[in-house]
Amino acid sequence: MAGKLLNLGFGNAVVARRVLAIVNPSSAPMKRLREEARQAQRLIDATQGRRTRSIIITDSGHVILSAVQTETMAQRLEQTRLEDASVSLLEEDKP
């Protein structure tokens, strides 16, 4: 999945292979995670001033806020991974 981007909405994207989790922001642990990331300067706000509807956690420890629903983000990530798997299969078939 080298170079494949996951659309976060409003012209923002993240490299899909770096995403570890996409979570709902409403629970208390996720609110604490957001605040800890803010204090550690690892928080990236990609909401463009809108309500946070999903939190993306990356392998670098960054926490990204998005205004796109968690389910939509998960579908986009799955689609990106399926596209990458099909490209890998096509490359293996080449002589």
Side-chain angles (χ1 to χ4, degrees):
M1 209 177 320
K4 292 279 187 176
L5 296 177
L6 175 62
N7 182 355
L8 301 175
F10 308 107
N12 300 300
V14 65
V15 177
R17 65 180 167 81
R18 306 289 307 262
V19 174
L20 293 180
I22 302 170
V23 295
N24 191 317
S26 62
S27 69
M30 291 306 107
K31 290 178 182 178
R32 280 193 302 271
L33 177 72
R34 179 194 310 191
E35 191 53 39
E36 289 170 5
R38 184 183 319 273
Q39 291 173 355
Q41 297 184 340
R42 291 182 288 110
L43 183 71
I44 300 169
D45 188 347
T47 62
Q48 303 293 318
R50 292 169 176 83
R51 181 173 164 227
T52 300
R53 296 180 184 264
S54 61
I55 297 176
I56 296 96
I57 303 168
T58 66
D59 61 353
S60 63
H62 287 85
V63 175
I64 304 169
L65 307 180
S66 175
V68 178
Q69 290 285 354
T70 305
E71 294 82 13
T72 304
M73 293 299 299
Q75 289 173 352
R76 290 178 183 178
L77 182 61
E78 184 64 24
Q79 183 63 35
T80 301
R81 290 185 173 165
L82 286 174
E83 288 172 3
D84 187 56
S86 63
V87 168
S88 295
L89 289 174
L90 289 174
E91 289 175 356
E92 288 177 7
D93 290 341
K94 290 183 181 178

